[in-house]
Every structure is written in C-alpha cells, then in structure tokens.
C-alpha cells in the first residue's frame, strides 16, 4: 500500500485492477477460466524455456518446479478447527444482532438500519457494486501514499476543518 517495493505494489495493484475490470465486462467463469489458462500457458512456456536452456547448455538441473512440487499442501485439520472455532462466536453474535434489528427488538437500531439501507439503495443506483470495489482498491493503493507524502499539509487542513466543525457545533 505504501509503495515501499514498487514492483510488488505495482504487481498487486495491476493484477487486482485487471481482475476487477475483467469481472466488470465478463462473467466470473470466463475470467477464472482465462486467468487459469494464462497461468497454465505461462507455466508451460517457462518449462519449455528451461528445457531448451538445459538442452543447449547440456546441464541437468532437473525440473524447474521441483521445489514447488515438494511443498506440503495438506490442510491441517486442527488449524481449520481452530479457525472455525474463532469464527463461530463472531457469526453467532452478528446473527443475534441482525435478528434483533429485523425483528425490531430496539426500534432505534431498526430505524438506523432502515436509514442505512435506504441510503445504500441510492448508492446502488449510482454505482455498481463492482465499481465500488474497483474504486476501493484504487483508493487503498493511492490514499496512504498521498497522505504519507503530504502529511503535514493534510494534517493542517484537517485540523482547521475539525476546529471549524467544533466551533459550528458549539454554536
């Protein structure tokens, strides 16, 4: 996010935006199939390149993906149980909260939820959900760097705005 390593940040941002923009124009199945096909083609080309290089230099380096082939991809059952056990109380708490809101246990909370949902209908009319995700990804990669670069100027303006709001609030 802070572009400490521009190659990694650029790759993550570029990959994320490519997938999101692809999803905006094509179905999830098409994007997934095309992405996996590109990955397979790239892997095949790299494997062929390494094979030709070994044949030209007459070396026997072995398979280029040997280290990846030896990785243990087994899922630890205990770790999954631990993660599920951590998530279940959060899920239960949120389900109880939603039940409370939608069955109008507290009228103020239900009215707040109705207001939020009503505002969301307008946001949904203005923007597609995927557009909001694309804007969020672009913001995550730009706002922290801009703030880091112009921290003093932004803090000065922000403090002035907060002071103005406090002054207006007290009046």
């Amino acid at each position: 996010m802070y572009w400490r390593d521009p190659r990694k940040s650029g790759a993550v941002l570029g990959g994320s935006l490519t997938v999101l923009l692809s999803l905006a124009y094509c179905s999830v199945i098409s994007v997934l199939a095309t992405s996996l096909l590109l990955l397979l083609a790239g892997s095949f080309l790299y494997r062929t390149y390494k094979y030709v290089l070994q044949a030209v230099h007459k070396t026997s380096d072995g398979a280029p993906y040997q280290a990846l082939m030896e990785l243990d991809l087994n899922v630890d059952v205990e770790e999954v149980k631990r993660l599920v056990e951590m998530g279940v109380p959060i899920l239960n708490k949120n389900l109880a909260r939603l039940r409370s809101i939608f069955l109008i246990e507290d009228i103020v909370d239900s009215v707040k939820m109705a207001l939020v949902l009503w505002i969301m209908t307008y946001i949904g009319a203005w923007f597609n959900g995927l557009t909001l995700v694309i804007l969020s990804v672009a913001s995550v990669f730009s706002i922290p760097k801009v703030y880091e670069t112009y921290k003093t100027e932004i803090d000065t303006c922000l403090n002035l705005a907060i002071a103005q709001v406090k002054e207006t609030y007290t009046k």
Side-chain angles (χ1 to χ4, degrees), residues 162-171:
I162 289 171
Q164 189 68 29
V165 167
K166 285 181 181 178
E167 180 182 324
T168 305
Y169 184 73
T170 56
K171 287 181 182 178

Side-chain angles (χ1 to χ4, degrees), residues 2-161:
Y2 290 103
W3 295 85
R4 302 278 188 257
D5 186 357
R7 282 184 168 183
K8 288 181 183 176
S9 296
V12 170
L13 176 62
S16 300
L17 288 179
T18 300
V19 169
L20 291 172
L21 290 172
S22 298
L23 286 172
Y25 294 104
C26 301
S27 70
V28 173
I29 294 171
S30 295
V31 171
L32 184 63
T34 304
S35 299
L36 292 175
L37 185 60
L38 286 172
L39 179 66
L40 185 61
S43 179
F44 180 76
L45 288 173
Y46 180 71
R47 173 73 170 100
T48 304
Y49 167 75
K50 288 302 237 175
Y51 179 75
V52 169
L53 208 58
Q54 287 175 3
V56 168
H57 293 298
K58 304 221 186 298
T59 62
S60 59
D61 294 337
Y65 298 120
Q66 191 61 41
L68 294 173
M69 295 288 250
E70 294 171 355
L71 282 177
D72 182 24
L73 297 179
N74 293 326
V75 177
D76 183 32
V77 175
E78 294 304 317
E79 184 67 19
V80 171
K81 285 181 183 176
R82 188 183 67 78
L83 290 173
V84 169
E85 287 173 358
M86 285 175 34
V88 168
I90 295 169
L91 178 65
N92 287 336
K93 178 182 171 190
N94 287 323
L95 286 174
R97 181 85 173 124
L98 286 172
R99 180 183 61 201
S100 170
I101 288 171
F102 283 100
L103 297 180
I104 311 174
E105 188 174 312
D106 182 5
I107 195 160
V108 175
D109 286 342
S110 297
V111 169
K112 287 179 190 176
M113 178 59 116
L115 184 63
V116 166
L117 292 174
W118 181 68
I119 291 169
M120 292 299 288
T121 61
Y122 282 99
I123 292 172
W126 294 332
F127 297 105
N128 181 342
L130 197 54
T131 304
L132 291 174
V133 172
I134 292 169
L135 291 173
S136 299
V137 168
S139 298
V140 162
F141 278 90
S142 59
I143 291 173
K145 184 61 178 176
V146 169
Y147 179 73
E148 185 179 62
T149 304
Y150 300 105
K151 183 176 175 36
T152 55
E153 293 90 347
I154 291 172
D155 285 345
T156 303
C157 291
L158 194 59
N159 288 335
L160 286 172

